[in-house]
Amino acid sequence: MSLAVGVIGTGMIGQDHIRRLTRVLSGAEVVAVSDIDRTRAGQAAPAGAEVFDTPQALIRSDKVQAVLICSWGPAHEEQLLDCISVGKPVFCEKPMVTSEAAALKVIDAEVAFGRRLVQVGFMRRFDADYRRLKAVIDGGTLGLPLMYYSKHRNASVPEGLYTSDMPLNDTLVHDADISRWLLSDEIASVEVRLPRRSRQGGELRDPHLVLLHMASGAIVDVEISVNIAYGYDIRGEVSCEKGLAALPNRPAPVVSDQFGIRQAIPEDWRERFIEAYDQEFREWIVAAGQGTATGPSAWDGYAATLVADAALRAVTSGGREEIAMRDKPALYDTAAKVAAA
Ligand code: NAP
């Protein structure tokens, strides 16, 4: 039986995930949609899906078994809490929420419910290249990881909509999450350095150099450039005691013409992580069908929120900002058990 999914937020990524659930993957059906803009929701709705006036009505509908939240960040908290209150599995795009207080409310609600329901959209963990990189680090043949270099480069961001705080509270969350996951470590403190401003983004604060100090003593060096013009370029290299392990360059045809010999660079996140998003949803469909969630959790969403907050403080202070995490609830220690996909 197909998982009956309700989608909240039918903008850019909402539409891409509807396409994925409707035309690419099996095991799920989009039966309901909702967006602040009802016309946009109606246009995005697949045949037969009901358009709901409010996210609350969609979440409470008997026809919806599991919810996919693709609205903008500040709306996530209320929508997540509503899903947990009715015990429905929910996939929430990053950022999970936009404040520490909101993250703790989500964690408290899920812990009180007693079973994992929330998966956060950190899709890099599902990317085959990142998974192979993690297998090398975990295998231990290179010794302990000491430094990780993470490059996060966007061709451009929407002018006016993407503000100077967003490289740190919207974009950095991916690098923060993948660093914790790759190195099996927590982020203890954060520094931010601001190089010369790129003229590509006008007044936008860009680029950023962020140092994540891990609890183990390892250091992660993150470049966030959001107007770098040439494409969407994600790189990663882990420097260990006895060697290096890096993400491969993405396979792409080698084109030879009058401009030289070159390989194409992905235009945006949809192209670079297309297989990762597919795998992310394959695993979500299986877990949600069993009434639970696996993958990045509300705890991981909370950790990323703390890093974003600390990075923004570090811009103002110019110093190293500490992160204090609450004790981890047992719910997030063990992976929920689900049948293999
Ligand atoms: P978007 O194109 O602006 O779409 C968001 C949609 O949600 C818009 O239609 C918006 O309507 C609607 N919306 C806003 N508040 C709502 C509410 N309270 N209830 C219902 N609908 C609401 O943005 P997007 O690029 O799709 O991003 C959506 C989310 O996905 C963001 O949290 C973003 O950070 C995340 N995202 C993740 C990735 C990733 O790599 N995992 C990539 C891109 C985006 P209005 O336009 O009228 O406000």
Side-chain angles (χ1 to χ4, degrees):
M1 203 186 73
S2 264
L3 180 74
V5 178
V7 180
I8 300 171
T10 54
M12 211 165 27
I13 205 163
Q15 290 174 31
D16 198 42
H17 289 334
I18 290 173
R19 174 196 62 78
R20 173 165 287 112
L21 293 176
T22 307
R23 299 204 212 134
V24 181
L25 303 178
S26 57
E29 186 187 355
V30 175
V31 297
V33 295
S34 175
D35 193 285
I36 281 195
D37 181 338
R38 206 177 191 285
T39 311
R40 189 182 301 142
Q43 285 162 352
E50 183 173 344
V51 179
F52 283 82
D53 286 333
T54 64
Q56 291 71 28
L58 177 148
I59 292 166
R60 280 174 175 69
S61 165
D62 286 341
K63 62 166 65 165
V64 171
Q65 280 177 279
V67 177
L68 168 51
I69 298 178
C70 300
S71 54
W72 76 313
H76 293 177
E77 174 188 352
E78 188 186 348
Q79 294 164 2
L80 279 166
L81 292 173
D82 273 353
C83 290
I84 296 170
S85 74
V86 293
K88 292 191 181 175
V90 50
F91 181 103
C92 181
E93 265 307 341
K94 66 84 199 164
M96 180 178 83
V97 288
T98 50
S99 72
E100 176 177 357
L104 290 175
K105 273 196 219 163
V106 172
I107 286 175
D108 286 343
E110 195 176 34
V111 168
F113 181 74
R115 184 171 78 234
R116 271 200 59 192
L117 292 173
V118 178
Q119 176 170 329
V120 181
F122 291 130
M123 75 297 184
R124 290 187 186 186
R125 295 188 186 206
F126 300 86
D127 178 74
D129 295 333
Y130 274 108
R131 286 186 163 185
R132 283 187 281 263
L133 183 58
K134 182 167 173 57
V136 172
I137 308 301
D138 289 351
T141 51
L142 299 181
L144 294 173
L146 308 175
M147 286 173 285
Y148 173 47
Y149 303 95
S150 190
K151 313 283 184 238
H152 192 148
R153 299 178 179 135
N154 273 273
S156 63
V157 286
E159 209 182 320
L161 291 175
Y162 190 95
T163 59
S164 279
D165 284 350
M166 290 177 80
L168 300 178
N169 65 15
D170 198 69
T171 302
L172 173 68
V173 291
H174 281 301
D175 303 273
D177 181 70
I178 206 70
S179 302
R180 296 175 58 245
W181 178 77
L182 262 184
L183 305 183
S184 306
D185 211 342
E186 285 299 350
I187 299 167
S189 60
V190 181
E191 286 179 78
V192 178
R193 293 286 170 266
L194 300 176
R196 172 186 220 177
R197 190 189 297 258
S198 163
R199 292 175 299 173
Q200 288 285 118
E203 291 308 301
L204 192 75
R205 202 173 59 225
D206 172 52
H208 289 76
L209 179 65
V210 182
L211 289 184
L212 305 176
H213 296 272
M214 309 304 288
S216 67
I219 293 182
V220 179
D221 161 315
V222 186
E223 174 192 324
I224 310 262
S225 295
V226 297
N227 271 302
I228 204 157
Y230 73 91
Y232 182 77
D233 192 7
I234 302 297
R235 301 189 191 193
E237 179 179 289
V238 188
S239 180
C240 303
E241 290 172 308
K242 293 185 281 180
L244 307 177
L247 293 175
N249 283 334
R250 296 291 293 167
V254 179
V255 175
S256 304
D257 60 13
Q258 76 267 34
F259 303 113
I261 301 175
R262 60 191 199 285
Q263 277 187 288
I265 293 167
E267 252 177 57
D268 65 14
W269 38 273
R270 277 173 293 209
E271 186 183 343
R272 166 62 181 84
F273 286 112
I274 189 165
E275 294 100 350
Y277 289 118
D278 289 349
Q279 185 59 23
E280 177 183 55
F281 276 94
R282 268 187 211 105
E283 295 184 29
W284 181 66
I285 290 167
V286 173
Q290 297 181 24
T292 188
T294 54
S297 65
W299 181 259
D300 299 311
Y302 162 64
T305 304
L306 294 184
V307 174
D309 288 352
L312 288 172
R313 289 198 307 274
V315 170
T316 309
S317 72
R320 183 162 158 175
E321 293 293 326
E322 304 294 323
I323 292 179
M325 289 187 87
R326 162 199 273 204
D327 288 340
K328 194 176 189 178
L331 185 68
Y332 303 112
D333 273 337
T334 46
K337 287 192 172 55
V338 290

